């Protein structure tokens, strides 16, 4: 089975985990950063070792944000990475998330200028590549308190070109910054028309999933593997048709769920929940989205029909308009039929 040929819809991919090693190597040399000069050694520093046992801290150590000395650097990294994004993934639609503060934190770039730079680079690259993509702005729960988030979102609305932005994402340290610390912010964001997805239940209890959905109006949950521990909550999430953005390879590498053949995505899908299949951070993980399909089919035992259903769930849960979803579903079904004949 050539998993590259299958059309795919992805809801959970971080731009910061999708950078081109080639362009990062160029930035490291240009800006005289302390990284290996040998390219293969440089790549090894960026990527989780293939076939390595789970190691949460090793995984986190692969994320760097010191590449940029100017907003032109930001534009080059984002634009080139999107242009070089794996052609083999055969993406029918992508919702790509990014945190503007990641790019601004070391050099003091203005967050609005940074957001505009990233969005401009993304729009230029996807137009040239012909990718159907939309964007989520990530807020990191460990970087800002909710009042700061509210002030920043207000600035973004007033001063930035948000063309292509379809929602918000809450990421970062789940354990020390639970969802209840951000309820006021997301109530404000919801009132402004922003849809939201939360990282929850990856390395935290099912209670974080409950709070994200019930109190913070999250429509989607990133990872959410701990849902499997709470049958009552599982039924609530099924009834509310909450979408779960699951990432098995990432979960293995971080140790969030190291028993890949028994990853919750299989049971939850078969129990009728809106689970989806995603790559999370392809460059860091040293894998691509089609590798997730290979793992799901060959290690978990999901059928091709079930892989198609994961994509239908992604269409149901994506932040496009109903009209755009209808067209996407028609196009996806036609391409899927061709790929599996």
């Amino acid at each position: 089975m050539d998993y590259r040929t299958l059309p795919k819809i992805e809801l959970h991919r971080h731009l910061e985990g999708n950078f081109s090693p080639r362009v990062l190597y160029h930035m490291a040399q240009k800006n005289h950063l302390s990284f290996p000069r040998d390219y293969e050694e440089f790549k090894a520093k960026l990527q989780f070792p293939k076939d390595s046992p789970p190691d949460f801290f090793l995984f986190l150590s692969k994320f760097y944000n010191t590449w940029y000395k100017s907003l032109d650097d930001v534009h080059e990294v984002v634009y080139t990475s999107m242009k070089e994004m794996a052609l083999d993934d055969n993406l029918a639609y992508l919702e790509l998330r990014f945190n503007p503060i990641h790019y601004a934190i070391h050099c003091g770039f203005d967050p609005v200028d940074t957001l505009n730079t990233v969005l401009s680079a993304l729009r230029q690259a996807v137009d040239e590549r012909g990718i159907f993509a939309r964007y989520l702005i990530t807020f990191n729960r460990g970087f800002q308190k909710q009042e700061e988030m509210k002030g920043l979102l207000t600035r973004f609305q007033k001063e930035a070109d948000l063309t292509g932005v379809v929602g918000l994402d809450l990421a970062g340290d789940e354990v020390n910054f639970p969802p209840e610390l951000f309820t006021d912010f997301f109530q404000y964001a919801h009132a402004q028309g922003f849809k939201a997805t939360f990282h929850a239940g990856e390395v935290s209890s099912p209670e974080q999933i409950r709070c994200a959905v019930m109190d913070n109006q999250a429509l989607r949950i990133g990872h959410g593997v701990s849902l499997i521990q709470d049958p009552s909550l599982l039924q609530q999430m099924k009834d509310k048709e909450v979408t779960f953005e699951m990432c098995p390879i990432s979960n293995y590498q971080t140790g969030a769920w190291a028993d890949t053949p028994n990853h919750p995505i299989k049971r939850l899908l078969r129990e009728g929940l809106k689970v989806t299949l995603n790559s999370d951070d392809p460059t860091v993980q040293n894998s691509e989205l089609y590798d997730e399909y290979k793992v799901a089919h060959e290690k978990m035992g999901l059928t091709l029909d079930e892989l198609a259903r994961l994509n239908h769930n992604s269409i149901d849960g994506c932040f496009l308009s109903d009209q755009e979803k209808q067209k996407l579903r028609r196009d996806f079904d036609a391409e899927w039929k061709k790929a599996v004949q």
Side-chain angles (χ1 to χ4, degrees):
M1 179 71 202
D2 186 357
Y3 301 96
R4 293 169 173 84
T5 65
L6 297 174
K8 304 170 190 70
I9 295 163
E10 181 164 37
L11 303 184
H12 192 117
R13 184 187 295 220
H14 294 265
L15 175 59
E16 295 85 7
N18 193 58
F19 290 151
S20 160
R22 187 190 67 79
V23 74
L24 294 182
Y25 179 78
H26 165 71
M27 280 295 153
Q29 304 306 311
K30 185 183 103 170
N31 291 330
H32 307 291
L33 305 178
S34 56
F35 285 87
R37 297 192 66 84
D38 179 83
Y39 182 65
E40 292 304 319
E41 290 181 23
F42 176 82
K43 280 185 67 180
K45 194 170 181 66
L46 292 183
Q47 297 182 311
F48 195 89
K50 275 194 178 294
D51 303 319
S52 173
D55 189 326
F56 181 68
F57 293 106
L58 177 61
F59 185 88
L60 291 184
S61 75
K62 300 297 179 179
F63 290 87
Y64 301 94
N65 57 1
T66 56
W67 311 108
Y68 325 102
K69 299 301 182 185
S70 68
L71 288 175
D72 286 342
D73 288 347
V74 173
H75 189 281
E76 181 177 352
V77 168
V78 173
Y79 170 77
T80 306
S81 295
M82 285 302 293
K83 286 277 285 185
E84 294 186 2
M85 192 175 70
L87 293 169
D88 292 335
D89 277 340
N90 195 16
L91 280 166
Y93 175 65
L94 168 67
E95 281 184 8
L96 185 68
R97 62 192 68 195
F98 68 94
N99 180 5
I101 304 302
H102 164 93
Y103 307 86
I105 193 167
H106 283 293
C107 292
F109 304 143
D110 180 81
V112 173
D113 293 339
T114 307
L115 177 64
N116 280 329
T117 298
V118 173
L119 286 172
S120 175
L122 288 172
R123 289 191 290 258
Q124 182 182 351
V126 300
D127 285 349
E128 292 177 13
R129 274 281 306 273
I131 301 170
F132 184 16
R134 296 292 183 267
Y135 314 109
L136 306 175
I137 300 174
T138 293
F139 288 82
N140 189 304
R141 61 228 296 175
F143 284 4
Q144 297 169 309
K145 295 181 179 179
Q146 63 178 341
E147 285 305 313
E148 296 173 294
M149 292 179 178
K150 182 177 178 180
L152 191 56
L153 183 59
T154 301
R155 280 198 66 200
F156 287 164
Q157 289 176 278
K158 291 179 178 178
E159 303 173 40
D161 178 1
L162 298 182
T163 301
V165 174
V166 293
L168 307 180
D169 166 44
L170 184 71
D173 182 351
E174 294 178 17
V175 176
N176 293 304
F177 300 93
E180 55 263 33
L181 297 179
F182 306 95
T183 300
D184 289 347
F185 169 65
F186 279 96
Q187 286 180 345
Y188 169 77
H190 183 77
Q192 299 299 308
F194 288 100
K195 298 176 180 179
T197 176
F198 276 47
H199 285 68
E202 180 184 11
V203 292
S204 60
S205 72
E207 174 59 23
Q208 287 216 5
I209 299 172
R210 189 211 64 78
C211 182
V213 173
M214 302 302 188
D215 300 337
N216 291 26
Q217 304 178 70
L219 299 177
R220 300 195 328 228
I221 295 295
H223 300 287
V225 292
S226 68
L227 176 68
I228 204 75
Q229 302 169 11
D230 190 331
S232 175
L233 181 63
L234 189 157
Q235 186 60 48
Q236 284 182 294
M237 297 298 101
K238 181 178 178 180
D239 292 343
K240 290 182 70 67
E241 297 189 325
V242 175
T243 300
F244 284 79
E245 310 155 353
M246 293 196 153
C247 314
I249 292 176
S250 170
N251 293 160
Y252 172 80
Q253 291 181 355
T254 63
W257 196 281
D259 180 14
T260 299
N262 294 304
H263 191 280
I265 193 172
K266 177 170 63 175
R267 177 179 155 191
L268 295 176
L269 179 68
R270 292 177 177 177
E271 292 194 15
L273 277 90
K274 295 287 189 181
V275 292
T276 68
L277 186 60
N278 308 273
S279 66
D280 203 13
D281 299 289
T283 299
V284 171
Q285 293 162 207
N286 201 9
S287 63
E288 300 294 347
L289 182 56
Y290 61 80
D291 292 313
E292 301 283 355
Y293 282 72
K294 180 180 175 69
V295 165
H297 188 49
E298 298 182 6
K299 291 190 175 181
M300 299 180 198
L302 294 182
T303 67
L304 288 176
D305 284 346
E306 287 174 323
L307 295 181
R309 183 142 47 99
L310 290 169
N311 282 281
H312 286 158
N313 289 343
S314 293
I315 296 172
D316 292 339
C318 75
F319 291 160
L320 294 173
S321 68
D322 289 343
Q323 184 177 3
E324 289 172 313
K325 288 183 182 183
Q326 290 172 8
K327 183 179 185 306
L328 178 58
R329 192 181 305 277
R330 289 194 302 270
D331 293 345
F332 171 83
D333 286 343
E335 289 301 313
W336 186 271
K337 185 177 180 179
K338 292 178 187 175
V340 299
Q341 280 179 342

